[in-house]
Amino acid sequence: MPKRALSKKHIEEVKTLLLENKAKIEATLNSISNDHESLSNMDLNDDADFAAASRDYSNDIHIKNQQMKELTLINHALFKIEKGTYTGLCEMCDSEITMKRLRVKPHAKYCIDCRSYIDKEKVSIA
Ligand SMILES: [Zn+2]
């Protein structure tokens, strides 16, 4: 284990946050798919209704994609915690990801520097 890895206590904290976020995302994803089932059963009276409904629909798809992506990262982090390979260190440069950052975004894989580098360079890694 790298020496700057998070303490057990902090890893437990991150794990709790990850599980909470996971439950929230799964609830959101469930409610989105339920909405869509009711949408397809809905009687849409005219084109305007249909346009409004499909606008909501594409917005939902966008949210759904975002949430799915986040869920993948959460599962990735949880998997590493279960395997005991989770360190809380940046997967790119190995520096510490601060607890402050992890409390906001427990599934973060990169430190702020690498994250902003990725955003700036539009490197396509989640
Ligand atoms: Zn980094």
Side-chain angles (χ1 to χ4, degrees), residues 90-95 109-115:
C90 174
E91 291 195 2
M92 194 123 106
C93 73
D94 238 18
S95 1
K109 284 161 78 177
Y110 307 109
C111 67
I112 288 186
D113 288 346
C114 291
R115 181 75 254 178

Side-chain angles (χ1 to χ4, degrees), residues 14-33:
V14 171
K15 186 180 170 181
T16 307
L17 291 170
L18 285 166
L19 290 172
E20 278 171 13
N21 285 358
K22 186 177 170 169
K24 265 184 240 163
I25 289 176
E26 282 171 349
T28 306
L29 289 175
N30 278 336
S31 74
I32 288 176
S33 31

Side-chain angles (χ1 to χ4, degrees), residues 3-93:
K3 42 188 176 316
R4 289 154 302 150
L6 283 185
S7 67
K8 242 187 166 143
K9 196 173 141 245
H10 278 155
I11 290 179
E12 278 303 312
E13 187 181 336
V14 171
K15 186 180 170 181
T16 307
L17 291 170
L18 285 166
L19 290 172
E20 278 171 13
N21 285 358
K22 186 177 170 169
K24 265 184 240 163
I25 289 176
E26 282 171 349
T28 306
L29 289 175
N30 278 336
S31 74
I32 288 176
S33 31
N34 290 341
D35 283 356
H36 288 168
E37 273 161 38
S38 50
L39 178 69
S40 48
N41 294 332
M42 219 193 290
D43 245 340
L44 297 171
N45 293 322
D46 55 36
D47 288 351
D49 280 355
F50 186 76
S54 54
R55 198 159 47 238
D56 284 352
Y57 182 77
S58 63
N59 190 35
D60 277 359
I61 294 288
H62 180 72
I63 295 168
K64 197 170 174 175
N65 284 341
Q66 292 281 64
Q67 299 273 293
M68 295 285 276
K69 209 167 146 187
E70 197 169 321
L71 192 60
T72 306
L73 292 170
I74 289 172
N75 283 331
H76 174 77
L78 283 170
F79 179 71
K80 283 171 67 180
I81 290 173
E82 289 308 320
K83 281 186 65 185
T85 57
Y86 182 84
T87 56
L89 299 177
C90 174
E91 291 195 2
M92 194 123 106
C93 73

